[in-house]
Amino acid sequence: MSALTTPKASTQEAAPALGVLAYPLDPQQPRFAMGLCADATVAAATEAAFRTADRAEDGRTLFSVTVNDQRYVGVCLEDSACRLIVLHRAEPETVLRDVLASVPGVRNDAPSLGLIGESAPMQRLRREIQTVARLDVPVLILGESGTGKELVARAIHAAGNDAQQGERPLVSLNLAALPATLIESELFGYAPGAFTGSQRQGQAGKLEQAAGGTVFLDEVADIPMEMQVKLLRVLEDHMVERLGSRRAQRVDFRLVSATNRDISELIDAGRFRLDLYYRLSGVVLRIPALRQRREDIPALLQHFVEAFCTRNRMPAPQIDHDVARHLAGQPWPGNVRQLRQRIEEALVFCDGQTLRVADFARGDAARNVAVTEVVQPQITPPADALQIIGTDMNEVAHAAVLDAITRNGGNKKRAAEQLRISRSHLYKILERGR
Ligand SMILES: Nc1ncnc2c1ncn2[C@@H]1O[C@H](COP(=O)(O)OP(=O)(O)OP(=O)(O)O)[C@@H](O)[C@H]1O
Ligand SMILES: [Mg+2]
């Protein structure tokens, strides 16, 4: 793990490293920590950090832990064999940046709440997330498909998590994927024997499950008209009544919703209730399209390359300097999701040493084969292409669907028609691709 070095002194006043520890990832090997530790508290903090870092998607994370009222910050790096944690005692927020800046190849992830990008709109978005996370207001996230709305919803939830209260639930419901009747039972749950086929003991709905935490209503603009008034009512008084029950109970939850549709257009067309819109949109966070913040593309490129290689336990290739410029010149109708998918596809084709612009061209060609396969299942791609595409097939189909939706201005029915698949199949692909 050559890239892992003790942080060098920062230009600002950085805390000295208290511990540098390495853990083998192979569960067969005895769990041990190698390295230096200042004292038992630091060892305990590192243990806690190890557990926190376990949850990180790509293992290259900045984290913060509190042990005996002392806050520690650290950087966790991971390669295929082991995880290394560099730990600092910390007080002010600025130290987080110092620690981060002191380790080569690691970006400012954790304070960024998992959102990559330092463009002005992304910095503003992050500040807004931190602010709204502390407030009890419903948040509506707007942005084109693939801009990161779900990521932002998770960030709001995570940023609002109070360490003292422990983990609070985050419960998501995609309102585009379900018919009205199912939305109702999913949201409100049902009493014992409420309807034929229901579970005998009844079931708590998503709202109840989210008690004390966050409800994320994804694709909220797609909620059928007949459900809108029911949702409005529960948002007004937070009284939840299971289907088939007469007893309502108060449930406290934070509400975050998201849509890529133009809600004002739906309101004008009489397809979305204005009063519900007001209720959902205590604060509106708008995520800019990727083409409006192309300066984030190099950081996203770096991030997705590292994340993909870590996930697949392969060494990250060098990135040819032309690649970022090439990607920044693309239109990205599917936004960050599409960028990620293209990068991962290119990594599949790259020689393992260097990621080049040419790798994207070959990926695009393979992608067209795959899209054709989605539309016309009778066409069989060559065996080797299938093997390559196989792992990312869901992503590829997902990207094709997103492209079609974007091309049709968010209209999923028209997108399905254009792809010559049924609407329910389109929803399945959307669900699977998440
Ligand atoms: N700023 C970002 N930094 C890192 N990853 C991002 C960022 N924005 C989006 N992504 C990634 O892009 C993909 C799509 O993000 P997400 O699902 O949150 O988009 P969305 O806006 O909810 O899309 P849709 O409207 O289709 O539901 C995910 O893999 C997510 O992790
Ligand atoms: Mg989403």
Side-chain angles (χ1 to χ4, degrees):
M1 197 180 262
S2 56
L4 303 178
T5 52
T6 311
K8 64 180 186 302
S10 147
T11 45
Q12 295 182 25
E13 208 182 316
L18 292 175
V20 180
L21 294 108
Y23 296 86
L25 288 178
D26 182 355
Q28 303 299 325
Q29 290 194 36
R31 169 99 177 272
F32 69 95
M34 285 181 331
L36 298 169
C37 241
D39 55 38
T41 309
V42 173
T46 311
E47 266 298 307
F50 182 76
R51 286 195 297 273
T52 313
D54 254 347
R55 279 188 235 126
E57 194 187 282
D58 62 6
R60 299 184 132 236
T61 317
L62 182 73
F63 59 85
S64 130
V65 287
T66 304
V67 178
N68 297 346
D69 294 333
Q70 171 63 52
R71 201 159 73 87
Y72 297 87
V73 290
V75 178
C76 170
L77 300 168
E78 187 178 298
D79 74 2
S80 54
C82 79
R83 170 174 296 146
L84 185 135
I85 291 169
V86 181
L87 200 75
H88 290 233
R89 204 186 298 275
E91 290 306 339
E93 280 299 316
T94 51
V95 174
L96 289 170
R97 281 198 300 277
D98 291 346
V99 172
L100 200 61
S102 69
V103 181
V106 183
R107 296 160 323 283
N108 196 351
D109 270 6
S112 73
L113 302 157
L115 288 164
I116 305 298
E118 291 302 324
S119 60
M122 285 309 283
Q123 290 190 28
R124 190 170 54 241
L125 179 66
R126 247 181 248 125
R127 281 197 302 275
E128 290 172 351
I129 291 172
Q130 299 277 13
T131 306
V132 300
R134 289 193 297 268
L135 307 173
D136 181 24
V137 283
V139 182
L140 176 63
I141 307 166
L142 301 179
E144 288 178 15
S145 187
T147 44
K149 295 184 293 298
E150 186 169 340
L151 211 55
V152 167
R154 291 181 182 282
I156 293 170
H157 172 74
N161 252 333
D162 182 343
Q164 250 98 65
Q165 290 176 351
E167 284 283 297
R168 295 170 310 130
L170 168 67
V171 180
S172 306
L173 186 63
N174 186 321
L175 295 173
L178 296 168
T181 43
L182 270 184
I183 292 178
E184 195 171 8
S185 63
E186 283 282 311
L187 268 180
F188 298 99
Y190 51 84
F195 49 85
T196 328
S198 61
Q199 287 188 34
R200 200 182 301 157
Q201 67 276 29
Q203 186 156 325
K206 300 279 187 195
L207 297 175
E208 256 184 80
Q209 290 168 23
T214 306
V215 176
F216 175 46
L217 298 182
D218 203 1
E219 314 240 21
V220 74
D222 292 65
I223 182 169
M225 206 59 189
E226 62 266 39
M227 271 312 295
Q228 291 186 17
V229 71
K230 293 187 176 162
L231 180 60
L232 178 65
R233 209 173 304 138
V234 74
L235 297 182
E236 272 172 353
D237 59 11
H238 277 243
M239 295 302 286
V240 175
E241 198 176 298
R242 290 189 185 188
L243 293 182
S245 157
R246 295 256 171 91
R247 251 200 14 250
Q249 55 170 321
R250 193 183 157 82
V251 181
D252 287 314
F253 52 84
R254 158 191 280 287
L255 178 72
V256 178
S257 41
T259 182
N260 54 25
R261 306 279 297 270
D262 182 342
I263 291 207
S264 53
E265 206 174 75
L266 295 173
I267 293 170
D268 289 347
R271 286 166 52 205
F272 200 88
R273 296 178 64 110
L274 187 60
D275 45 9
L276 178 58
Y277 172 73
Y278 285 139
R279 187 51 70 176
L280 296 172
S281 59
V283 173
V284 175
L285 296 186
R286 198 175 287 274
I287 312 181
L290 187 56
R291 64 185 168 280
Q292 294 165 328
R293 47 183 170 103
R294 292 177 191 275
E295 63 268 44
D296 288 339
I297 289 179
L300 285 163
L301 167 66
Q302 186 78 29
H303 170 75
F304 289 136
V305 167
E306 286 168 6
F308 180 84
C309 293
T310 305
R311 260 198 333 273
N312 290 287
R313 305 216 176 277
M314 57 196 250
Q318 300 273 340
I319 302 173
D320 202 272
H321 63 274
D322 282 350
V323 172
R325 194 153 19 113
H326 169 74
L327 296 178
Q330 308 291 315
W332 302 117
N335 291 290
V336 183
R337 179 185 289 111
Q338 188 189 17
L339 175 71
R340 173 182 173 171
Q341 182 265 330
R342 293 289 165 85
I343 291 169
E344 294 188 349
E345 215 169 38
L347 284 166
V348 171
F349 291 106
C350 118
D351 64 7
Q353 303 291 315
T354 310
L355 183 67
R356 297 190 172 83
V357 172
D359 298 317
F360 287 82
R362 286 167 60 192
D364 284 349
R367 185 172 168 275
N368 290 336
V369 173
V371 172
T372 318
E373 220 257 336
V374 173
V375 179
Q376 297 171 336
Q378 71 274 22
I379 294 177
T380 313
D384 57 345
L386 255 185
Q387 197 193 359
I388 293 165
I389 297 163
T391 47
D392 279 341
M393 193 60 203
N394 286 345
E395 287 264 5
V396 171
H398 195 237
V401 164
L402 288 179
D403 277 356
I405 292 172
T406 311
R407 272 201 309 278
N408 286 285
N411 187 321
K412 294 191 176 109
K413 187 161 168 274
R414 277 210 303 272
E417 281 163 6
Q418 196 174 66
L419 290 170
R420 285 183 276 152
I421 57 177
S422 69
R423 209 163 159 221
S424 60
H425 189 180
L426 180 138
Y427 282 128
K428 258 190 222 130
I429 293 174
L430 277 176
E431 274 299 290
R432 235 179 18 215
R434 266 160 225 286

